[in-house]
C-alpha cells in the first residue's frame, strides 16, 4: 500500500537498539529531501550499548548516549514509551508513554525491538537469578556483586555461550576474591576451534574460573542450581546467561512469527503477509545468529530497500551476509578473535591476548561510531547498494 499523494510518508521504527537506531538514521539521510516523517519509539531515552552490559555489571562506567541527540534533526522524531500493540491492518501502533497512551499511524514500519534473556524457561530463574540482557538488569547485578565481593562469595554463571564467557571473565578479573564458576550444557568453548577452546581454558585457569561441563540446569532456588543429572551447584549470586527470546509483541499483535516469536521475513527482510513491515535484528526470523554483527547490516539493508521505495527507485537485490570473525572479550586485558567462514563455521586461525582485546574494543566502539558517521554521511557505512548488489 502506497501513501496518498501530497501527504507525508510516515515511517515508524520500533526499537532504539543497534538495528533500530541505524535504520532510522540511515533512512533519514537517504530521504531527507522528501516529505517523510520517521518516528523512532523506544522504552528508554538512552541508547544502550548492549555489547557492554557485562562491563556495567562489573562496575565500569559507560557513557550516556541520549537517543534524541543521536537522531538527525530533519525527518525524525523520538517517542519514549512502550509499544503495547501493533495493528498491521489499521497500520497503527499503540504506545504507553509517561503522558498517557498514544496511537501512531504508519505507512511503513521497521520492527526492531531486539531480544531479551529468556528468564522464564527454567523454574526459579526469574526469582533467583540475575542477567546482563539489559541496562537495568546489569545494574542490579552490579549492586549484587559489589555487596558480595567483601565475603569471598560464590558466583555461578549458567550458560557457556559468548554472553556467559564474557560475564564470567569480566567478573573474575574485576573481583578476584570472588569464587566464579561457569556451568555449560556442553563443553567449554565447543563453538570455537580447537585452538580457540584451548586458549579459552588457559584464560579461565589464569583467572581462577571453575567450569562445570555437561550441566543442564533444570531449576534454580535461592542458593543453588539443580542439574538434570542430580548435581547441585551452590551460589551466593547466580547469573543466567541462557538463550535470548524475542518480545511477545509480534505474536500478540497477529504478525506472522516463528516458534521463537520472531517475525517471519522474506529475502528483502519484509514480512510476506504485510510487506510494508520490515523486521531486522534479533526479532527477525533470519537464518543468522543474533547480535549487532547481523542486526546492523540488516538495518542498513532495510533502510536502503525502503528508501528506494519512497524515492521511486529500482529495488536493491535480496539481502546477503557473510561472517568473518567472532570477537570475545575476556576481561579488559585479554580477548579472543575466532576467524570463521562466511557461513559462521569456525576456522583454526585465532588472535589472542591484548591484541584481541584491542580488536574487540574497536569493534564495540565501531557500533557507536557507525551511528555518528551515518548521521553525517548517509550510507557511508555498510556500503552503497545498487540494484543487483549484495551485502557481503
Amino acid at each position: 500500500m502506497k501513501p496518498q499523494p501530497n501527504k507525508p510518508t510516515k515511517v515508524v521504527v520500533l526499537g532504539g537498539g543497534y538495528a533500530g537506531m541505524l535504520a532510522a538514521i540511515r533512512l533519514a539521510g537517504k530521504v531527507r529531501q522528501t516529505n517523510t516523517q520517521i518516528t523512532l519509539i523506544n522504552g528508554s531515552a538512552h541508547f544502550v550499548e548492549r555489547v557492554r552490559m557485562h562491563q556495567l555489571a562489573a562496575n565500569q562506567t559507560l557513557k550516556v548516549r541520549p537517543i534524541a541527540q543521536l537522531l538527525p534533526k530533519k525527518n525524525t522524531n523520538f517517542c519514549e514509551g512502550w509499544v503495547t500493540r501493533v495493528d498491521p491492518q489499521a497500520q497503527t501502533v499503540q504506545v504507553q508513554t509517561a503522558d498517557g497512551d498514544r496511537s501512531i499511524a504508519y505507512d511503513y514500519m521497521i520492527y526492531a525491538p531486539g531480544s531479551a534473556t529468556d528468564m522464564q524457561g527454567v523454574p526459579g530463574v526469574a526469582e533467583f537469578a540475575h542477567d546482563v540482557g539489559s541496562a537495568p538488569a546489569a545494574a542490579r547485578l552490579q549492586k549484587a556483586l559489589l555487596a558480595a565481593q567483601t565475603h569471598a562469595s560464590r558466583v555461578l554463571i549458567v550458560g557457556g555461550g559468548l554472553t556467559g564467557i564474557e560475564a564470567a571473565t569480566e567478573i573474575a578479573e574485576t573481583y578476584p576474591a570472588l569464587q566464579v564458576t561457569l556451568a555449560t550444557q556442553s563443553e567449554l568453548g565447543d563453538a570455537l576451534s580447537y585452538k580457540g577452546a584451548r586458549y579459552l581454558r588457559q584464560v579461565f585457569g589464569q583467572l581462577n574460573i571453575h567450569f562445570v561441563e555437561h550441566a543442564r540446569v533444570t531449576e534454580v532456588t535461592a542458593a543453588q542450581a539443580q542439574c538434570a543429572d542430580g548435581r547441585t551447584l551452590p551460589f551466593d549470586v547466580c547469573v543466567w546467561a541462557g538463550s535470548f527470546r524475542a518480545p511477545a509483541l509480534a505474536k500478540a499483535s497477529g504478525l506472522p512469527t516463528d516458534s521463537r516469536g520472531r517475525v517471519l521475513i522474506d529475502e528483502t527482510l519484509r514480512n510476506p503477509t504485510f510487506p510494508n513491515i520490515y523486521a531486522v535484528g534479533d526479532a527477525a526470523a533470519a537464518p543468522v545468529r543474533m547480535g549487532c554483527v547481523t542486526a546492523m547490516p540488516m538495518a542498513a539493508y532495510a533502510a536502503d530497500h525502503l528508501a528506494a521505495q519512497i524515492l521511486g527507485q529500482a529495488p536493491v537485490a535480496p539481502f546477503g551476509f557473510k561472517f568473518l570473525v567472532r570477537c570475545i572479550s575476556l576481561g579488559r586485558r585479554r580477548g579472543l578473535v575466532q576467524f570463521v567462514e562466511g557461513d559462521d563455521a569456525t576456522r583454526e586461525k585465532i588472535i589472542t591476548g591484548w591484541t584481541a582485546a584491542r580488536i574487540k574494543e574497536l569493534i564495540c566502539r565501531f557500533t557507536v561510531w557507525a551511528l555518528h558517521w551515518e548521521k553525517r554521511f548517509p550510507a557511508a557505512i555498510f556500503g552503497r547498494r545498487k540494484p543487483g548488489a549484495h551485502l557481503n
Side-chain angles (χ1 to χ4, degrees), residues 12 81 83 109 124 165 173 200 231 238 250 316 327 332 348 353 388:
V12 164
V83 175
M109 174 189 289
I165 290 170
E173 183 181 86
L200 178 62
R231 285 178 291 176
C238 180
V316 296
C327 290
R332 295 300 88 201
E348 204 55 49

Side-chain angles (χ1 to χ4, degrees), residues 270-294:
R270 294 183 294 177
N271 180 262
T273 305
F274 302 102
N276 64 331
I277 296 179
Y278 294 79
V280 296
D282 291 358
V288 291
R289 57 180 159 92
M290 293 179 172
C292 63
V293 65
T294 51

Side-chain angles (χ1 to χ4, degrees), residues 22-30 300 303-304 374 379 381-383 385:
L22 181 62
I25 294 171
R26 188 176 178 105
L27 180 62
K30 289 207 156 198
D304 291 354
E374 283 286 349
I381 309 298
F382 304 109
R385 275 177 292 280

Side-chain angles (χ1 to χ4, degrees), residues 22-33 38 72 74-75 300 303-304 307 311 369-385:
L22 181 62
I25 294 171
R26 188 176 178 105
L27 180 62
K30 289 207 156 198
V31 300
R32 60 185 179 278
Q33 301 301 326
I38 303 167
K74 185 176 177 60
N75 292 88
D304 291 354
L311 295 170
W369 293 341
L371 302 180
H372 291 288
W373 289 337
E374 283 286 349
K375 183 177 179 179
R376 295 189 62 186
F377 309 106
I381 309 298
F382 304 109
R384 294 176 178 271
R385 275 177 292 280

Side-chain angles (χ1 to χ4, degrees), residues 56-383:
L56 178 61
N59 202 30
Q60 296 172 34
T61 301
L62 303 183
K63 187 173 182 179
V64 177
R65 304 182 188 278
I67 288 176
Q69 293 180 16
L70 289 171
L71 291 173
K73 292 182 179 180
K74 185 176 177 60
N75 292 88
T76 66
N77 299 292
F78 173 58
C79 174
E80 182 180 356
W82 297 96
V83 175
T84 57
R85 181 170 174 79
V86 174
D87 188 334
Q89 301 289 350
Q91 297 185 186
T92 60
V93 295
Q94 304 302 314
V95 188
Q96 188 178 62
T97 73
D99 298 323
D101 293 341
R102 288 183 59 186
S103 179
I104 301 177
Y106 66 86
D107 297 302
Y108 300 98
M109 174 189 289
I110 299 178
Y111 184 84
S115 63
T117 306
D118 186 357
M119 305 291 281
Q120 305 298 325
V122 174
V125 171
E127 294 81 5
F128 302 113
H130 296 271
D131 74 290
V132 290
S134 66
R140 290 191 293 270
L141 176 57
Q142 179 190 85
K143 292 181 180 179
L145 292 172
L146 286 170
Q149 66 171 326
T150 58
H151 307 290
S153 300
R154 300 161 298 181
V155 178
L156 174 67
I157 291 93
V158 181
L162 301 189
T163 301
I165 290 170
E166 292 192 333
T169 50
E170 201 76 49
I171 292 169
E173 183 181 86
T174 304
Y175 303 113
L178 293 176
Q179 302 173 33
V180 179
T181 299
L182 182 142
T184 177
Q185 289 192 49
S186 53
E187 295 183 356
L188 182 65
D190 67 329
L192 303 172
S193 66
Y194 172 78
K195 290 182 179 179
R198 183 176 62 182
Y199 178 72
L200 178 62
R201 289 170 183 259
Q202 291 175 357
V203 173
F204 268 46
Q206 292 165 357
L207 293 174
N208 295 316
I209 302 172
H210 302 285
F211 58 91
V212 181
E213 298 178 315
H214 305 292
R216 183 169 66 86
V217 173
T218 56
E219 184 179 6
V220 176
T221 65
Q224 66 181 23
Q226 181 71 44
C227 298
D229 60 7
R231 285 178 291 176
T232 58
L233 305 174
F235 63 79
D236 298 293
V237 178
C238 180
V239 182
W240 191 260
S243 61
F244 291 96
R245 59 174 175 81
L249 174 65
K251 185 175 182 180
S253 298
L255 291 174
T257 62
D258 66 4
S259 60
R260 300 171 64 184
R262 302 179 302 171
V263 175
L264 298 179
I265 55 175
D266 61 17
E267 70 276 7
T268 63
L269 308 187
R270 294 183 294 177
N271 180 262
T273 305
F274 302 102
N276 64 331
I277 296 179
Y278 294 79
V280 296
D282 291 358
V288 291
R289 57 180 159 92
M290 293 179 172
C292 63
V293 65
T294 51
M296 297 186 82
M298 290 175 71
Y301 176 90
D304 291 354
H305 194 280
L306 178 51
Q309 291 194 73
I310 294 173
L311 295 170
Q313 300 173 347
V316 296
F319 177 75
F321 182 82
K322 291 182 180 180
F323 289 98
L324 178 62
V325 295
R326 298 178 201 164
C327 290
I328 311 170
S329 67
L330 303 174
R332 295 300 88 201
R333 298 189 295 272
R334 304 172 184 85
L336 172 60
V337 176
Q338 172 70 70
F339 285 81
V340 298
E341 303 291 349
D343 62 358
D344 209 23
T346 57
R347 298 170 56 191
E348 204 55 49
K349 183 179 179 181
I350 61 173
I351 301 174
T352 63
W354 183 88
T355 302
R358 293 303 92 203
I359 294 173
K360 171 69 173 183
E361 176 61 25
L362 286 173
I363 290 175
C364 290
R365 293 184 184 185
F366 169 79
T367 60
V368 178
W369 293 341
L371 302 180
H372 291 288
W373 289 337
E374 283 286 349
K375 183 177 179 179
R376 295 189 62 186
F377 309 106
I381 309 298
F382 304 109

